[in-house]
Amino acid sequence: MDVKSRNYLLMNRQALEKDIKTSYIMDHMISDEVLTLQEEERVKQQNTQKERAAMLINIILTKDNNSYRSFYNALLHEGYRDLAALLQDGIPAISSGNGKSSMDGMTSYVKTVLCEGGVPQRPVVFVTRPKLVDAIKQKLCCLGSDPGWVTVYGMAGCGKTVLTAEALRDHQLLEDYFPGGVHWISVGKQDKAGLLIKLQNLCSRLEHDSTLSQRPPLNIEEAKDRLRLLMLRKYPRSLLILDDIWDSWVLKAFDNQCQVLITSRDRSVTDAVAGNKYEVHVESGLAHEKGLEILSLFVNMKISELPEQANCLVRECKGSPLVISLIGALLRDFPSRWEYYLKQLQNKQFKRIRKSSSYDYEALDEAMSISVEQLNDNYKDYYKDLSVLPKDVKVPTKVLCILWDMETEEVEDILQEFVNKSLLFCDRNGKSFHYYLHDLQLDFLTEKNRNQLQELHKNIVNQYKKYYKLNTPVPSQEDCMYWYNFLAYHMAGANMQKELRDLMFSLDWIKAKTELVGPAHLIHEYVEYSSILDQKDSTVRENFQEFLSLNGHLLGRQPFPDIIQLGLCQPETSEVYQQAKLYAQRETGTFYLEWLNKKSLKNLYRLVVRPHKDAVYHACFSKDRQRIASCGADKTLQVFKAESGERLLEISAHDDEILCCTFSADGEFVATCSADKKVKIWNSRTGQCKCVYEEHSEQVNCCQFNNRSGQYLLATCSNDTFIKLWDLNKKYCRNTMMGHENSVNHCRFSPNDEYVASCSTDGTVKLWEARSGNELKSIEIKDFFKNADEQPDDVEVLVKCCSWSRNGDMILVVAKNKLLLFDVKTCGLLSQVIISHHSTIQYCDFCPGDELVAVALSHCSVELWNIKSLSKVAYCRGHMSWVHCVTFSPDGSLFLTSSDDQTIRIWETKKVCKSSDAVLKSELDVVFHNGEVMILAIYNQKHLQLINGNTDSVIMQTAAPESPISCCCLSEDLKFAAFGQESGTIKVLQLLDGKVLKSQEAYRTSVQHCRFTSDCQTLISSAHDSVIQVWNWQLSECVFLRGHKEAIKDFRLLENSKLLSWSFDGTVKVWNITTGNTEKDFACHGGAVLSCAVSPDGSKFSSTSADKTAKIWSFESSSVLHELKSHEACVRCCTFSPNNKLLATGDDKGEIRIWDTLTGTLLHFCSPVTVDEGEPTHGGWVTDLSFSPDSKMLVSSGGYLKWWNVTTGESLQTFYTNGTNLKSIHVSPNFKVYVTVDNLGILYVLQKL
């Protein structure tokens, strides 16, 4: 047997002996004729399973390569995939060819190509590994002329970069396959800003000889396009090498249909990109002979001439190239110290073993200590300064220039000395140098200098302050990302409380940092350094942490929101608000808004995150409550910290939408299931895919792990009508449960893992025995939805979800709009409650305390119900679209919700249970009177409220009428109010005491609009039909305006008893409301007329339509003056400017256009900035528009509120409401107060600062 194969068996012997059952494995090996019956008998004679496995391995070790292959195949066949993977790299080759030495081919042509491409030179001490170099060359040849990816992967320090560079030193390879040259870029761990700098440098390098120098690309998308054109036109058939790739998203910037070689620790990093893919695995450990070769090169001796201590030294170094290089560098300087260094290692290693070291390379810190001692005394101090560098971070040269107050060249000379002694690593990319320590080197330094760490941290902070003074680094500076990520870390390490508070409680710092790296890292720092920040008082830290936690989903979007405006929305007692107010008052030229009535709103959630680019279908806590896993329509699995939202894992997990995810009981694994019919199991910490199950024949809707640690059982259910039970240690399904007649939507283990419950579109819930897979009970849920006159087959009931009580005695079931609680033993219905008449229940979860149930609803909200008293405990609003999932944390103190709006919200159960559920309808009326803002609103659909917007106080509230209220209006003199009901009744009441003065049963359908005339004696109304009623309520006389053929969209009063109305029939009419006659009739559009506006001089009006056009009409000639055609969606609103010169129109694509009313020409396109992933620029439709009195500003409503500069079309400010879908905006005559309501029923009274 090959030495390599033998070593793999010995290396993994312990794992093999622990797990394998020998009988079936020996059957395979006997059939392969590599094991005799006598040998099988010897194995069977052993007493325990472990002893039998040990004997079998002993026998295999005496045999040839065929027995190794047979044993490996037997492991695979018997389902020991993990164990087989351990032996995979030891499989002996069947035949081996002699590859041409990679040292050949170093012609002047090769040298020129590699030098121009920035390929690193050979290290001073270099040992060739021809098999691996040839493997890389072979994969590069496989690319041919087609675009594709070659991945060279392996653990850190295994030589990927050196081997890749060596493979390129081949004349024939470069000439035949890459005549366009090679381009090397060291990438490393990057965020988007860092990646952009790398791309800018690469583009600059590739354009170096262009006659016209272009400006650097401004964003990753532009850089990607620039790079694509350069590779296509200037460097066709060239090779791009991306060294040290950490994240798959980085590769998307280089996914340009070119040929790319990458080095990475992560084998799956290319999963996110398209094209042909090839892999080369680099083994991490050096063979003993290679270790000797390195030592021989360092000391310039032949291997045969090395002293006898050499073998012992290599063994003590455990095959680590790093340790061997350290010792070799020392021996080069002191060639007579073989015995001395060996003794140093041996003596200290014994000590380290006593310390139970967890290091892979036990000899490292001993070798480190020896190496450091050889440095000059002044260099030792510089090296000590590196003790405070953060782990796994490549530090730009400039950071160390600032620390040591030196020129770049001086710093690089010092660092090169460390690099030469293998005490530091250097990552070079063109002119940029980044330095880093291995984790183990850093551990050694921090331990050695433990008593001086605080002073070292303090020094680096003081040097930063001296260099930057009161400024902050800008993204174009190479050290910028380092300071934003680690300045707080150094301040905390130095225990500089005042400096840390000043930094972390500065809106300038928060704005700059969140723009670059998002809010999660800052939230993490507030948690991490709370003990220092809270030494005086925790309130300020809590203010800032809450501000970021609740606005994180906004701070992650583009264009970046105005952080001062977000700060102004905080409670007035908050330090964030007070800072924002000072900023806003100083910046006189900027438009800021004060939210006058924000006191009435309480934030009930702890954290809002936006980890996905599309709808989030499911999210769940890990059992320790520290992590959250989520999945959705963007096909990714995300794992992030529950405290801060900081991302831990992002995996492109499936080929279609991921419908569910779940943590195993011990948190080691996450399972996902998808519309691609697959179920996958992932390591929750590394993101490695453990296994893929493909037995379902249709989309898999739900996956749930069992509740007890130690045994990994997973239940899945699918549209194929089956529930399957998987044991993670096996490749195949353990049980398939058949019995449902339609799609199975949900499944859950009982708390003791003995049963599985399943819910189906066939209208049933079934209980199954987990061990046998047998059906125990079936409950016909559709029986509870029948009316007296319905036959059983008439009722279609989709059972969405179920949840077990903590003791497993009860099961909660959700279907349509009902919660049903059943006794598990008897299947009897214990209680039921209708949650809502207006929306369906999407999901439910029992709180571990058993009394509370959380329910996710399709109309954007979540409700908590007490299942014992059948009463609603809390109403949670915040999501802007359907809520798909609600899940409690294991202790019930938190629950999370996930939604179509791409966010996940984490709520505190106790805080939510104390809240109220006041909701206003979006239909309201506002009168601006003597500086006061009077608002008439519909509260919870049952009451009218008169609210003083200045003081946020309710002046009057009516009793609940017999039918819900659908619309309302105020008289101009604030004496009367009117409201329409869903029953069709209209009522007029006196505002002084809320007394109803008159009532009329006007319609058979819900009243849509009502308005008083200026004399307050007449009320005009419309409903879901084609008739407008003009009701003189004081004289009880009514005039009917009949003429429209379809429902009225809306109407508007003109002067001289005239009324303008528009309808879904495409017409606009002018009426005399005294006589009821039509005075003018305009056939305006082919589609529904959605809005009309009248010019201030009364000579013309505009109409907008679902046919994507707007038109300007003359009242006098009844003719169309201009047809405005450039919109790409329904034009929903329009308004004239007070100077009569402009018309603004808004559409369903979120776009606003400003037109010249005289000529009909388009003047401005209110700059909708391109938002990532095609998000609408106005958060949805533009629903309302209003000009300022000087016609220079415009406010628009839609997904949120925006203010625009009319002259330039630029956005002046954005106010993000908690909800979305703002139907209208009421603006005061002086353009300083704005009133609206969002779809969550939250009222906003905003005043310009």
Side-chain angles (χ1 to χ4, degrees):
M1 186 183 293
D2 286 355
V3 175
K4 179 182 168 187
S5 304
R6 184 182 176 79
N7 286 344
Y8 265 82
L9 265 179
L10 291 169
M11 199 163 51
N12 298 296
R13 179 174 192 148
Q14 197 173 353
L16 292 163
E17 289 176 1
K18 183 180 169 188
D19 283 353
I20 62 171
K21 292 179 181 174
T22 51
S23 55
Y24 291 115
I25 287 172
M26 289 194 293
D27 288 347
H28 286 282
M29 295 182 74
I30 290 167
S31 66
D32 286 344
E33 298 182 348
V34 296
L35 195 72
T36 66
L37 294 172
Q38 290 81 1
E39 288 165 337
E40 183 191 32
E41 199 55 39
R42 277 169 59 198
V43 173
K44 286 182 175 178
Q45 283 170 3
Q46 306 306 309
N47 294 325
T48 66
Q49 178 185 316
K50 188 173 182 181
E51 287 169 352
R52 287 192 287 275
M55 177 58 74
L56 177 61
I57 290 166
N58 284 338
I59 292 169
I60 295 168
L61 284 166
T62 65
K63 294 179 174 286
D64 61 6
N65 289 340
N66 287 333
S67 62
Y68 187 101
R69 290 192 200 96
S70 175
F71 180 57
Y72 170 82
N73 290 329
L75 288 173
L76 272 183
H77 199 273
E78 288 305 316
Y80 297 103
R81 289 173 65 91
D82 294 345
L83 295 176
L86 297 175
L87 300 183
Q88 186 171 0
D89 293 329
I91 298 171
I94 293 168
S95 61
S96 59
N98 293 321
K100 183 177 145 190
S101 169
S102 62
M103 304 294 279
D104 299 340
M106 270 298 280
T107 59
S108 58
Y109 167 75
V110 171
K111 287 178 183 174
T112 305
V113 170
L114 300 192
C115 184
E116 287 177 353
V119 177
Q121 294 182 351
R122 282 194 187 116
V124 178
V125 171
F126 169 75
V127 295
T128 181
R129 293 192 261 177
K131 278 187 180 176
L132 283 166
V133 171
D134 287 348
I136 294 170
K137 287 200 261 189
Q138 183 197 349
K139 298 301 182 189
L140 287 171
C141 294
C142 288
L143 287 174
S145 57
D146 296 326
W149 307 79
V150 174
T151 306
V152 180
Y153 72 94
M155 70 171 282
C158 64
K160 303 182 290 291
T161 302
V162 173
L163 288 165
T164 298
E166 196 58 30
L168 299 174
R169 295 185 177 98
D170 185 310
H171 187 113
Q172 207 66 46
L173 177 77
L174 296 179
E175 196 173 61
D176 292 352
Y177 290 91
F178 308 109
V182 297
H183 313 289
W184 186 290
I185 173 170
S186 296
V187 181
K189 185 91 174 149
Q190 296 293 346
D191 57 14
K192 288 188 177 176
L195 178 61
L196 178 59
I197 292 167
K198 295 278 183 188
L199 285 162
Q200 288 170 338
N201 290 342
L202 179 60
C203 290
S204 168
R205 209 164 86 196
L206 296 178
E207 292 167 342
H208 66 92
D209 59 352
S210 297
T211 49
L212 293 169
S213 64
Q214 295 192 56
R215 62 160 176 77
L218 299 178
N219 54 54
I220 289 174
E221 207 54 44
E222 186 185 342
K224 181 178 177 180
D225 279 343
R226 178 93 56 91
L227 185 58
R228 179 175 58 80
L229 292 172
L230 283 165
M231 297 298 279
L232 186 70
R233 296 174 183 173
K234 195 173 175 190
Y235 299 96
R237 294 197 66 202
S238 63
L239 177 68
L240 185 62
I241 302 104
L242 307 178
D243 188 28
D244 195 20
I245 293 290
W246 284 67
D247 299 303
S248 55
W249 65 265
V250 170
L251 290 188
K252 292 181 181 175
F254 299 94
D255 192 4
N256 280 326
Q257 292 291 300
C258 55
Q259 297 184 317
V260 187
L261 184 150
I262 67 167
T263 70
S264 179
R265 301 178 187 187
D266 183 1
R267 184 180 182 180
S268 64
V269 79
T270 55
D271 287 355
V273 290
N276 298 325
K277 294 170 193 172
Y278 305 92
E279 291 181 347
V280 179
H281 180 220
V282 179
E283 295 158 10
S284 52
L286 283 177
H288 190 81
E289 294 73 22
K290 290 291 177 189
L292 290 172
E293 189 179 346
I294 288 176
L295 285 180
S296 71
L297 289 167
F298 266 110
V299 298
N300 198 21
M301 295 167 71
K302 291 180 182 175
I303 293 178
S304 57
E305 295 170 353
L306 290 172
E308 59 184 16
Q309 293 95 336
N311 280 306
C312 300
L313 269 170
V314 170
R315 272 197 296 274
E316 294 295 342
C317 292
K318 310 294 182 193
S320 163
L322 180 62
V323 185
I324 295 169
S325 300
L326 284 167
I327 297 296
L330 291 167
L331 287 166
R332 181 178 58 198
D333 294 339
F334 303 98
S336 61
R337 293 191 178 179
W338 290 88
E339 187 65 34
Y340 170 72
Y341 292 138
L342 176 60
K343 280 183 180 173
Q344 289 271 32
L345 284 174
Q346 286 173 331
N347 292 340
K348 292 197 177 182
Q349 181 166 331
F350 178 69
K351 186 172 143 196
R352 284 185 64 75
I353 291 167
R354 280 199 347 223
K355 280 199 224 168
S356 308
S357 164
S358 61
Y359 290 147
D360 292 338
Y361 307 121
E362 290 145 341
L364 178 63
D365 69 341
E366 287 79 3
M368 280 285 307
S369 180
I370 301 160
S371 298
V372 174
E373 289 308 312
Q374 305 307 314
L375 292 171
N376 294 337
D377 285 346
N378 57 334
Y379 275 49
K380 282 180 189 173
D381 286 336
Y382 290 130
Y383 196 62
K384 187 204 292 180
D385 286 340
L386 306 183
S387 307
V388 293
L389 295 184
K391 277 191 176 183
D392 296 323
V393 174
K394 293 181 180 178
V395 181
T397 313
K398 190 175 175 189
V399 171
L400 298 164
C401 292
I402 292 169
L403 172 61
W404 293 331
D405 200 7
M406 289 181 183
E407 295 295 321
T408 304
E409 291 76 12
E410 292 177 273
V411 170
E412 286 174 354
D413 288 344
I414 294 169
L415 297 175
Q416 190 57 44
E417 179 72 14
F418 301 151
V419 172
N420 290 342
K421 287 266 195 286
S422 301
L423 288 168
L424 189 68
F425 296 90
C426 179
D427 177 22
R428 305 177 186 193
N429 179 26
K431 293 178 183 176
S432 178
F433 287 69
H434 285 68
Y435 296 91
Y436 61 99
L437 290 161
H438 190 283
D439 280 2
L440 308 179
Q441 292 170 318
L442 196 54
D443 285 347
F444 161 77
L445 274 177
T446 50
E447 188 59 42
K448 185 177 182 217
N449 303 305
R450 181 162 296 283
N451 296 330
Q452 300 170 63
L453 291 179
Q454 190 166 319
E455 277 306 308
L456 293 171
H457 277 294
K458 195 171 187 177
N459 184 39
I460 199 168
V461 174
N462 288 336
Q463 290 299 103
Y464 166 85
K465 287 163 71 179
K466 177 182 169 185
Y467 184 84
Y468 279 107
K469 299 184 174 66
L470 296 173
N471 303 315
T472 50
V474 294
S476 58
Q477 296 166 313
E478 65 166 322
D479 61 326
C480 160
M481 289 307 297
Y482 181 86
W483 297 118
Y484 280 119
N485 280 315
F486 300 111
L487 183 57
Y489 156 78
H490 289 302
M491 286 179 173
N495 200 26
M496 299 171 81
Q497 186 195 347
K498 181 184 183 305
E499 288 84 350
L500 185 62
R501 285 174 66 90
D502 289 348
L503 182 80
M504 299 286 287
F505 301 155
S506 153
L507 281 178
D508 278 335
W509 180 258
I510 290 169
K511 178 180 188 294
K513 178 159 179 169
T514 48
E515 278 196 47
L516 279 175
V517 298
H521 191 258
L522 254 173
I523 299 169
H524 167 75
E525 288 179 327
Y526 286 121
V527 175
E528 185 82 4
Y529 308 134
S530 57
S531 59
I532 302 171
L533 295 168
D534 293 353
Q535 279 180 12
K536 286 185 180 175
D537 178 15
S538 65
T539 310
V540 178
R541 193 258 313 156
E542 286 166 357
N543 289 165
F544 278 91
Q545 188 176 327
E546 182 178 78
F547 171 60
L548 285 171
S549 297
L550 303 184
N551 291 287
H553 60 301
L554 299 175
L555 295 170
R557 71 165 71 209
Q558 293 295 329
F560 194 82
D562 188 322
I563 205 157
I564 306 303
Q565 183 58 64
L566 290 178
L568 288 168
C569 296
Q570 296 301 293
E572 290 182 13
T573 53
S574 165
E575 177 70 22
V576 181
Y577 169 81
Q578 287 160 19
Q579 269 196 47
K581 187 81 179 271
L582 287 172
Y583 272 93
Q585 287 166 343
R586 280 204 308 266
E587 307 239 344
T588 47
T590 314
F591 189 95
Y592 286 115
L593 298 140
E594 183 84 84
W595 183 2
L596 297 180
N597 66 320
K598 65 187 170 195
K599 285 180 195 159
S600 58
L601 188 75
K602 290 177 186 142
N603 278 315
L604 305 177
Y605 27 86
R606 174 188 280 196
L607 179 70
V608 185
V609 289
R610 193 176 175 213
H612 293 273
K613 300 260 169 49
D614 208 332
V616 190
Y617 291 145
H618 197 83
C620 58
F621 286 97
S622 60
K623 202 155 194 176
D624 61 5
R625 215 188 78 175
Q626 298 302 305
R627 294 175 295 157
I628 290 169
S630 64
C631 60
D634 64 1
K635 309 173 195 173
T636 68
L637 166 68
Q638 309 277 351
V639 180
F640 54 91
K641 290 181 181 175
E643 185 77 50
S644 65
E646 196 173 2
R647 181 173 288 152
L648 300 171
L649 271 185
E650 179 178 21
I651 304 168
S652 294
H654 287 268
D655 301 324
D656 207 334
E657 297 184 337
I658 306 176
L659 304 176
C660 188
C661 60
T662 176
F663 274 106
S664 61
D666 60 5
E668 283 301 302
F669 300 105
V670 178
T672 55
C673 62
S674 164
D676 67 7
K677 310 174 191 173
K678 294 174 188 172
V679 178
K680 296 187 181 183
I681 314 294
W682 309 87
N683 183 309
S684 71
R685 303 195 187 273
T686 66
Q688 185 182 3
C689 186
K690 178 178 164 64
C691 51
V692 181
Y693 300 131
E694 300 186 59
E695 284 194 27
H696 282 293
S697 57
E698 292 190 40
Q699 80 171 29
V700 189
N701 295 313
C702 180
C703 55
Q704 289 286 328
F705 272 110
N706 64 325
N707 297 300
R708 285 182 294 194
S709 296
Q711 187 186 16
Y712 296 114
L713 290 179
L714 181 75
T716 61
C717 60
S718 162
N719 282 2
D720 62 12
T721 75
F722 301 138
I723 304 106
K724 289 182 180 285
L725 204 59
W726 314 83
D727 186 330
L728 259 60
N729 298 316
K730 308 283 182 191
K731 183 176 178 180
Y732 301 106
C733 171
R734 195 175 98 168
N735 276 323
T736 299
M737 304 170 197
M738 296 174 277
H740 283 294
E741 296 171 6
N742 210 326
S743 304
V744 188
N745 304 308
H746 192 250
C747 57
R748 269 198 185 175
F749 278 96
S750 63
N752 62 6
D753 292 338
E754 289 183 13
Y755 308 107
V756 174
S758 61
C759 307
S760 169
T761 308
D762 64 13
T764 66
V765 170
K766 292 183 185 289
L767 305 184
W768 313 80
E769 192 177 60
R771 185 171 294 175
S772 66
N774 293 331
E775 183 182 327
L776 291 174
K777 295 174 181 178
S778 183
I779 306 171
E780 293 282 342
I781 302 298
K782 59 187 177 185
D783 290 350
F784 299 94
F785 285 85
K786 287 179 197 164
N787 296 323
D789 55 343
E790 284 179 329
Q791 296 299 313
D793 297 338
D794 294 343
V795 186
E796 268 196 18
V797 176
L798 189 155
V799 187
K800 253 301 175 51
C801 170
C802 64
S803 183
W804 294 83
S805 62
R806 184 168 48 178
N807 59 9
D809 289 348
M810 299 179 289
I811 190 163
L812 185 71
V813 179
V814 159
K816 290 190 176 180
N817 60 350
K818 271 187 189 179
L819 275 181
L820 303 111
L821 188 66
F822 292 94
D823 183 293
V824 171
K825 282 184 183 172
T826 65
C827 294
L829 181 69
L830 299 174
S831 55
Q832 63 174 314
V833 60
I834 294 173
I835 296 292
S836 166
H837 291 284
H838 301 284
S839 65
T840 56
I841 305 172
Q842 300 298 303
Y843 206 86
C844 72
D845 197 31
F846 243 126
C847 181
D850 272 359
E851 284 197 11
L852 277 186
V853 172
V855 179
L857 297 163
S858 59
H859 69 220
C860 320
S861 67
V862 173
E863 294 178 0
L864 295 191
W865 286 73
N866 184 311
I867 203 66
K868 289 186 178 174
S869 64
L870 299 183
S871 59
K872 185 174 11 174
V873 177
Y875 175 83
C876 314
R877 52 188 179 167
H879 283 293
M880 299 188 188
S881 190
W882 278 37
V883 184
H884 288 289
C885 165
V886 56
T887 316
F888 280 101
S889 61
D891 62 358
S893 63
L894 303 174
F895 63 94
L896 60 78
T897 54
S898 66
S899 163
D900 262 356
D901 65 11
Q902 305 176 12
T903 67
I904 295 165
R905 290 168 193 256
I906 294 124
W907 312 70
E908 292 184 48
T909 311
K910 278 185 182 171
K911 200 189 265 191
V912 165
C913 289
K914 292 175 185 170
S915 69
S916 64
D917 61 347
V919 176
L920 302 182
K921 269 179 74 75
S922 54
E923 289 75 19
L924 51 78
D925 198 13
V926 181
V927 171
F928 300 97
H929 184 72
N930 295 335
E932 287 199 324
V933 184
M934 304 306 289
I935 302 159
L936 188 68
I938 302 164
Y939 170 74
N940 284 357
Q941 295 191 309
K942 299 173 184 173
H943 309 274
L944 272 190
Q945 278 189 348
L946 184 65
I947 302 166
N948 184 319
N950 305 68
T951 61
D952 193 27
S953 54
V954 177
I955 298 167
M956 182 274 298
Q957 179 172 314
T958 63
E962 59 286 348
S963 168
I965 302 173
S966 53
C967 63
C968 64
C969 65
L970 276 169
S971 65
E972 288 177 19
D973 58 9
L974 293 176
K975 289 182 180 176
F976 308 107
F979 63 90
Q981 295 174 249
E982 288 183 8
S983 61
T985 302
I986 302 171
K987 294 182 180 179
V988 177
L989 53 88
Q990 193 165 271
L991 278 180
L992 190 65
D993 54 8
K995 180 185 172 186
V996 174
L997 301 175
K998 283 284 173 75
S999 174
Q1000 183 190 20
E1001 291 182 12
Y1003 299 96
R1004 292 180 181 176
T1005 59
S1006 176
V1007 184
Q1008 293 301 294
H1009 302 285
C1010 59
R1011 280 188 197 97
F1012 282 103
T1013 54
S1014 54
D1015 61 6
C1016 309
Q1017 294 182 10
T1018 303
L1019 187 71
I1020 303 172
S1021 61
S1022 66
H1024 274 308
D1025 62 19
S1026 60
V1027 179
I1028 299 169
Q1029 292 194 22
V1030 182
W1031 176 37
N1032 187 319
W1033 59 273
Q1034 290 185 334
L1035 300 176
S1036 298
E1037 294 173 354
C1038 199
V1039 175
F1040 298 93
L1041 311 182
R1042 292 188 172 92
H1044 284 294
K1045 291 176 181 169
E1046 290 184 40
I1048 309 294
K1049 181 70 177 75
D1050 207 346
F1051 55 83
R1052 170 182 176 145
L1053 279 157
L1054 304 174
E1055 292 179 351
N1056 304 321
S1057 302
K1058 302 288 194 295
L1059 181 86
L1060 186 76
S1061 68
W1062 52 98
S1063 161
F1064 287 97
D1065 62 12
T1067 67
V1068 175
K1069 298 181 188 293
V1070 178
W1071 308 83
N1072 184 316
I1073 59 172
T1074 310
T1075 63
N1077 296 329
T1078 308
E1079 298 205 343
K1080 288 188 185 290
D1081 201 339
F1082 299 86
C1084 291
H1085 295 274
V1089 181
L1090 300 178
S1091 72
C1092 286
V1094 178
S1095 62
D1097 63 6
S1099 65
K1100 47 189 170 282
F1101 74 92
S1102 60
S1103 62
T1104 71
S1105 169
D1107 65 10
K1108 304 181 186 177
T1109 67
K1111 295 179 182 179
I1112 301 175
W1113 302 81
S1114 164
F1115 276 120
E1116 191 178 343
S1117 64
S1118 300
S1119 60
V1120 64
L1121 300 174
H1122 304 291
E1123 187 170 358
L1124 316 174
K1125 277 188 170 177
S1126 74
H1127 281 284
E1128 296 172 11
C1130 294
V1131 190
R1132 194 156 292 276
C1133 57
C1134 58
T1135 186
F1136 283 95
S1137 62
N1139 64 9
N1140 280 301
K1141 293 179 179 177
L1142 306 173
L1143 176 75
T1145 55
D1147 66 23
D1148 285 3
K1149 203 177 170 187
E1151 295 175 351
I1152 297 165
R1153 287 164 169 76
I1154 296 172
W1155 312 82
D1156 185 314
T1157 56
L1158 197 63
T1159 63
T1161 52
L1162 178 63
L1163 299 175
H1164 292 296
F1165 182 70
C1166 281
S1167 63
V1169 195
T1170 341
V1171 182
D1172 54 352
E1173 299 296 320
E1175 184 184 324
T1177 51
H1178 208 297
W1181 301 351
V1182 182
T1183 55
D1184 201 1
L1185 295 160
S1186 183
F1187 277 99
S1188 61
D1190 61 5
S1191 305
K1192 290 181 179 177
M1193 284 173 67
L1194 180 74
V1195 61
S1196 60
S1197 64
Y1200 30 80
L1201 297 174
K1202 281 185 88 73
W1203 284 259
W1204 307 87
N1205 181 319
V1206 172
T1207 313
T1208 63
E1210 290 174 359
S1211 170
L1212 298 171
Q1213 188 55 270
T1214 304
F1215 185 92
Y1216 291 100
T1217 47
N1218 286 40
T1220 183
N1221 297 348
L1222 314 173
K1223 285 192 178 176
S1224 63
I1225 179 157
H1226 299 262
V1227 183
S1228 65
N1230 62 3
F1231 205 68
K1232 287 189 175 176
V1233 181
Y1234 315 87
V1235 182
T1236 190
V1237 171
D1238 65 21
N1239 65 334
L1240 303 177
I1242 299 169
L1243 176 69
Y1244 300 86
V1245 182
L1246 310 177
Q1247 182 172 299
K1248 183 177 181 289
L1249 271 177

